Amino acid sequence: MTRIMSTEDLIPVIAKLCMDACYHLSDNVIGALKAAYEKEESPYGRDTLKLLLDNAELASKEEMPVCHDTGMAVVMMEIGEQVSWVGKPLEEAVNDGVRKGYTEGYLRKSVYLDPLNRVNSGDNTPCVLHTEIVTGDKVKITVLPKGGGSENMGTFTNLVPADGVEGVKEFVLKSVLAAGGKACPPIVVGVGIGGTMDKTTLIAKKALLRPIGNRNPNQYYKELEEELLEEINKFGIGPLGMGGRVTALDVHIEYYPCHITSLPVAVNLQCHSVRQATIEL
Ligand code: SF4
């Protein structure tokens, strides 16, 4: 049965998701930072983690941004195939919501309308909108404000199949090492393996949505996540690059079928400000 929904109703919902994501780190993220604090051996690293935890607590209490860089808003929507929209075009409504959230929430406006001519849009639009049609009549919306520091450290490569898993590991580790402190660790490392260039980078970003501590259900990829996490935390980069054992909070791998001649790999890094808010309508 068709479910009629108005795009206009999305505007306040998305505005609130933008504000919630920028003000409040989830219990899952706070728990991971607290566990990192307990585990960290370096005094500088521990001090840094304490500052990050205090900052997150204050931001949440005062409803202020956890970080000054409130990012470019990435909006991911899973739309049930039984949903039929009325009202203004979907993308326009989503951007209206982002505009409202960033303006009323006093969130930094960080979007240039043209990457070379550098004119700020003034309201943090447009967002980057990904839509996926799924079964059912529900709509799931996730807002992921993505700061420049960690997003700029993302990488992609087309390995050849003969490079195999060793090539994948080498590429992921080299990417994290090259990012060093610039991605504001402790980071979450999203890895996409397979698909086509566009799909690989998208699943690397989607990997960041998985709660910290949740492993890939496939045993092979679960073990690969654990191995990479252990190797990354031997680098000594530490919290905010101050040195220490905890460089990454987690590694999440998503994979997808690929062409017989291909082995694409993407790495999308998420800084310690793991900001995301989700709602199901
Ligand atoms: S990488 Fe994250 S924590 Fe660092 S400045 Fe950017 S948004 Fe803030």
Side-chain angles (χ1 to χ4, degrees):
M1 192 194 292
T2 302
R3 180 184 178 199
I4 308 289
M5 293 183 73
S6 168
T7 55
E8 317 278 338
D9 292 342
L10 295 178
I11 298 170
V13 171
I14 288 175
K16 184 161 183 335
L17 289 175
C18 291
M19 290 188 261
D20 284 350
C22 288
Y23 300 157
H24 310 291
L25 297 188
S26 68
D27 291 346
N28 172 256
V29 175
I30 295 291
L33 288 170
K34 283 184 176 163
Y37 176 76
E38 295 303 327
K39 191 161 64 176
E40 184 53 83
E41 298 162 11
S42 144
Y44 290 128
R46 276 175 71 85
D47 286 352
T48 306
L49 286 163
K50 176 81 172 63
L51 284 173
L52 297 181
L53 283 161
D54 290 348
N55 174 67
E57 188 183 340
L58 192 61
S60 185
K61 193 166 137 223
E62 301 289 331
E63 301 227 300
M64 306 231 332
V66 176
C67 177
H68 68 104
D69 183 354
T70 49
M72 188 164 193
V74 177
V75 181
M76 298 200 185
M77 294 183 72
E78 289 178 16
I79 303 170
E81 60 195 357
Q82 291 167 34
V83 172
S84 179
W85 296 105
V86 294
K88 61 172 68 182
L90 180 67
E91 191 155 5
E92 198 179 314
V94 171
N95 275 313
D96 283 352
V98 170
R99 180 179 300 108
K100 184 176 166 66
Y102 274 75
T103 305
E104 294 177 8
Y106 300 101
L107 306 176
R108 197 180 84 182
K109 321 299 184 292
S110 311
V111 173
Y112 279 152
L113 285 170
D114 176 328
L116 292 182
N117 293 307
R118 319 295 288 179
V119 177
N120 197 308
S121 70
D123 56 17
N124 225 53
T125 67
C127 67
V128 175
L129 174 62
H130 298 287
T131 55
E132 190 182 343
I133 303 299
V134 297
T135 54
D137 65 353
K138 300 275 188 285
V139 174
K140 187 173 171 189
I141 309 169
T142 297
V143 173
L144 175 73
K146 203 66 176 61
S150 57
E151 187 65 12
N152 290 349
M153 296 297 115
T155 54
F156 171 84
T157 190
N158 271 311
L159 298 176
V160 294
D163 290 326
V165 68
E166 292 307 317
V168 171
K169 285 191 240 178
E170 188 186 340
F171 179 70
V172 173
L173 295 175
K174 262 169 59 181
S175 299
V176 173
L177 195 55
K182 288 187 228 154
C184 293
I187 51 175
V188 178
V189 182
V191 182
I193 307 173
T196 50
M197 186 177 171
D198 49 336
K199 185 74 178 179
T200 320
T201 52
L202 182 58
I203 60 176
K205 178 152 268 112
K206 283 190 171 175
L208 301 176
L209 302 181
R210 199 196 306 160
I212 294 167
N214 281 23
R215 296 261 76 86
N216 192 301
N218 178 306
Q219 184 67 17
Y220 181 84
Y221 287 95
K222 169 184 179 286
E223 286 172 15
L224 189 53
E225 288 175 346
E226 287 165 351
E227 183 182 343
L228 285 168
L229 181 60
E230 196 178 323
E231 290 304 313
I232 287 167
N233 283 335
K234 287 181 188 163
F235 283 152
I237 298 167
L240 291 187
M242 302 294 281
R245 286 287 147 231
V246 188
T247 298
L249 297 173
D250 214 344
V251 176
H252 295 160
I253 300 173
E254 297 296 330
Y255 64 96
Y256 194 79
C258 69
H259 190 270
I260 51 172
T261 63
S262 304
L263 180 52
V265 187
V267 177
N268 197 187
L269 300 183
Q270 171 63 63
C271 60
H272 68 268
S273 279
V274 189
R275 293 161 298 179
Q276 42 188 271
T278 299
I279 194 168
E280 189 174 85
L281 303 172

Coordinates of all heavy atoms in Angstrom, one line a residue, residues 66-71 145-151 182-184 240 270-273 275, ligand 1:
V66 N 30.4 20.4 19.1 CA 31.5 19.6 19.7 C 32.8 20.1 19.0 O 33.8 20.2 19.7 CB 31.3 18.1 19.4 CG1 32.6 17.3 19.9 CG2 30.1 17.6 20.0
C67 N 32.7 20.5 17.8 CA 33.9 21.1 17.1 C 33.5 22.3 16.3 O 32.4 22.3 15.7 CB 34.6 20.0 16.2 SG 36.0 20.7 15.3
H68 N 34.4 23.2 16.1 CA 34.1 24.5 15.3 C 33.8 24.1 13.9 O 33.0 24.8 13.3 CB 35.3 25.4 15.4 CG 36.5 24.9 14.7 ND1 36.9 25.3 13.4 CD2 37.4 23.9 15.0 CE1 38.0 24.6 13.0 NE2 38.3 23.7 13.9
D69 N 34.5 23.0 13.4 CA 34.2 22.6 12.0 C 32.9 21.7 12.0 O 33.1 20.5 12.3 CB 35.4 21.9 11.4 CG 35.1 21.6 9.9 OD1 34.0 21.8 9.5 OD2 36.0 21.1 9.3
T70 N 31.8 22.3 11.7 CA 30.6 21.5 11.7 C 30.3 20.9 10.4 O 29.2 20.3 10.2 CB 29.4 22.4 12.2 OG1 29.4 23.6 11.4 CG2 29.5 22.8 13.6
G71 N 31.3 21.0 9.5 CA 31.3 20.1 8.3 C 30.4 20.4 7.2 O 29.6 21.4 7.2
P145 N 27.6 15.1 9.6 CA 28.3 16.3 9.3 C 29.8 15.9 9.2 O 30.4 15.4 10.1 CB 28.1 17.3 10.5 CG 27.0 16.7 11.3 CD 27.0 15.2 11.0
K146 N 30.4 16.2 8.1 CA 31.8 15.7 7.8 C 32.8 16.9 7.7 O 32.8 17.6 6.8 CB 31.7 14.9 6.5 CG 32.8 13.9 6.4 CD 32.8 12.7 7.4 CE 33.8 11.7 7.2 NZ 35.2 12.1 7.2
G147 N 33.6 17.0 8.8 CA 34.6 18.0 8.8 C 35.7 17.8 7.8 O 36.0 16.7 7.4
G148 N 36.3 18.9 7.4 CA 37.4 18.9 6.3 C 38.6 18.1 6.8 O 39.2 17.4 5.9
G149 N 39.0 18.2 8.0 CA 40.2 17.6 8.5 C 40.3 16.1 8.2 O 41.3 15.6 7.6
S150 N 39.3 15.4 8.6 CA 39.3 14.0 8.3 C 38.9 13.6 6.9 O 39.5 12.7 6.3 CB 38.4 13.2 9.4 OG 37.1 13.7 9.3
E151 N 37.9 14.4 6.4 CA 37.5 14.0 5.0 C 38.6 14.2 4.0 O 38.7 13.4 3.0 CB 36.3 14.9 4.6 CG 35.6 14.6 3.3 CD 34.9 13.2 3.3 OE1 34.8 12.5 4.4 OE2 34.6 12.7 2.2
K182 N 46.5 14.7 11.3 CA 45.7 15.7 10.6 C 44.2 15.3 10.6 O 43.3 16.1 10.4 CB 46.2 15.8 9.2 CG 47.5 16.6 9.0 CD 47.8 16.8 7.6 CE 49.3 16.4 7.3 NZ 49.5 16.0 6.0
A183 N 43.9 14.0 10.8 CA 42.5 13.6 10.8 C 41.9 13.7 12.2 O 40.8 13.2 12.4 CB 42.4 12.2 10.2
C184 N 42.6 14.3 13.1 CA 42.1 14.4 14.5 C 41.8 13.1 15.2 O 40.6 12.8 15.5 CB 40.9 15.4 14.6 SG 41.4 17.1 14.2
L240 N 44.9 13.0 18.8 CA 45.3 14.3 18.2 C 46.7 14.3 17.8 O 47.3 15.4 17.7 CB 45.0 15.5 19.1 CG 43.5 15.8 19.4 CD1 43.3 17.1 20.1 CD2 42.7 15.8 18.1
Q270 N 37.1 9.1 9.8 CA 36.2 9.9 10.7 C 37.0 10.3 11.9 O 37.6 9.4 12.6 CB 35.0 9.0 11.1 CG 34.1 9.7 12.1 CD 33.5 11.0 11.7 OE1 32.7 11.0 10.7 NE2 33.9 12.1 12.3
C271 N 37.1 11.6 12.2 CA 37.8 12.1 13.3 C 37.1 11.7 14.6 O 36.0 11.1 14.6 CB 37.9 13.6 13.3 SG 36.2 14.4 13.3
H272 N 37.7 12.0 15.8 CA 37.1 11.6 17.1 C 35.7 12.3 17.3 O 34.9 11.8 18.1 CB 38.0 12.1 18.2 CG 38.1 13.5 18.4 ND1 39.0 14.3 17.7 CD2 37.3 14.4 19.0 CE1 38.9 15.6 18.0 NE2 37.8 15.7 18.8
S273 N 35.4 13.4 16.5 CA 34.1 14.0 16.6 C 33.1 13.1 15.7 O 32.8 13.6 14.6 CB 34.1 15.4 16.1 OG 34.5 16.3 17.1
R275 N 30.2 12.5 14.6 CA 28.9 13.2 14.7 C 27.9 12.6 13.7 O 28.1 12.6 12.5 CB 29.0 14.7 14.5 CG 29.8 15.3 15.6 CD 30.4 16.6 15.2 NE 31.3 16.5 14.0 CZ 31.9 17.5 13.4 NH1 31.7 18.7 13.9 NH2 32.7 17.3 12.4
Ligands
SF4_1 S1 38.7 16.7 11.7 FE1 37.0 16.6 13.1 S2 37.7 17.2 15.1 FE2 39.2 17.8 13.6 S3 38.7 19.9 13.1 FE3 37.7 18.7 11.6 S4 35.7 18.2 12.4 FE4 36.9 19.0 14.1

